[in-house]
Amino acid sequence: MSGYNRDDLYDRPQAVVDFRFDERTAAVFPDMIHRSVPGYATLLQLFAVIGASIVPPGGRVYDLGCALGGASIALQQQMTADATIIAVDNSAAMTDRLTAYVAGAGIANICVEQADITTLELAPADLVLMTFTLQFIPPQARDALLARIHRALRPGGALLLAEKTRPDDDRLRLWHEAFKASQGYSQLAIAQKRESLEHVMQTDRYATVEERLHRAGFSDITPCFRALPFCAWVAMA
């Protein structure tokens, strides 16, 4: 997706409020995530390649917490099978922009829906994508959501899950902030963004994520990506 602005939301001193996926965020989101998550483009490519190998002809895919649909679009471009991708987010700013993009690009098999994924009824599916989404779900609701996803997956289906994890020591945080500085973020912007996320994004430790997957019913869990605190897994149904 193109035509978006450089992320300068936290460049100026301000009264910091909780982070929101509103129109201001949506307008700069592609720049924000590529400059904030090391290896993000590679992660999307991996999810697309792995996902395309799992989805059968006529299959159904959910992209839960899709934002501007980066994972959906990458998968759609990689798939040879005729399958439907249902991209879901609770942010109208995100879904409105993704709907316009999908319509303008003539992508017929990505269906965009604004909904709360914690209450969304899931039809039987072959693949579920969750790319840095679970970390924004209240911790007490995460196990139930993962269990619902596991129940919805058909035999041979999978959940592709990417999360920012909470490190056991402070080095990963410092290295991540150094990475963001190398991408042009000022120390002021880094500090204010961290403050805005403090009550909104509650990360789990790496081991806790895997424990949640096991409790949800996934037994075949394979790590497939790691860059500083950002990790991803393939959890087979």
Side-chain angles (χ1 to χ4, degrees):
M1 301 177 75
S2 60
Y4 293 89
N5 302 317
R6 184 174 176 84
D7 174 21
D8 62 355
L9 298 185
Y10 296 94
D11 283 357
R12 292 166 292 280
Q14 57 194 271
V16 177
V17 298
D18 285 349
F19 185 87
R20 295 188 295 269
F21 290 96
D22 55 12
E23 182 57 38
R24 292 175 68 246
T25 299
V28 300
F29 188 74
D31 183 68
M32 175 186 289
I33 196 162
H34 280 278
R35 291 168 62 209
S36 299
V37 179
Y40 180 68
T42 297
L43 171 64
L44 291 187
Q45 184 179 12
L46 286 173
F47 271 14
V49 170
I50 295 168
S53 73
I54 292 170
V55 180
R60 179 184 289 114
V61 178
Y62 283 101
D63 183 359
L64 301 180
C66 63
L68 294 180
S72 289
I73 294 164
L75 176 62
Q76 191 271 340
Q77 292 172 343
Q78 189 70 32
M79 284 192 311
T80 56
D82 179 21
T84 299
I85 301 172
I86 304 165
V88 186
D89 203 287
N90 67 351
S91 166
M94 295 292 187
T95 56
D96 287 351
R97 284 177 177 267
L98 179 55
T99 297
Y101 175 82
V102 166
I107 303 174
N109 62 335
I110 296 181
C111 304
V112 184
E113 182 176 347
Q114 184 189 356
D116 181 349
I117 65 171
T118 64
T119 58
L120 178 70
E121 183 176 348
L122 300 175
D126 302 285
L127 182 70
V128 175
L129 305 169
M130 290 185 72
T131 310
F132 308 121
T133 298
L134 197 65
Q135 63 204 41
F136 290 102
I137 301 297
Q140 65 272 19
R142 293 175 189 177
D143 283 1
L145 174 57
L146 291 173
R148 286 176 50 243
I149 291 170
H150 182 265
R151 290 194 297 270
L153 285 169
R154 297 183 175 117
L159 165 65
L160 303 186
L161 176 68
E163 284 285 282
K164 181 181 181 182
T165 60
R166 179 157 45 97
D168 293 322
D169 62 51
D170 211 35
R171 288 179 300 173
L172 284 183
R173 181 185 67 81
L174 294 174
W175 292 338
H176 179 221
E177 292 187 354
F179 169 81
K180 293 175 72 172
S182 78
Q183 299 299 301
Y185 283 111
S186 67
Q187 292 303 312
L188 174 67
I190 292 169
Q192 292 188 147
K193 174 75 171 296
R194 183 174 64 244
E195 183 181 350
S196 77
L197 286 167
E198 184 177 358
H199 302 295
V200 178
M201 183 180 69
Q202 300 181 47
T203 56
D204 284 326
R205 287 189 165 86
Y206 185 97
T208 302
V209 177
E210 293 197 339
E211 290 165 5
R212 290 190 189 279
L213 290 170
H214 282 292
R215 286 197 296 269
F218 295 98
S219 57
D220 184 351
I221 302 167
T222 303
C224 64
F225 175 89
R226 187 159 193 169
L228 300 179
F230 299 93
C231 305
W233 299 261
V234 182
M236 302 297 297

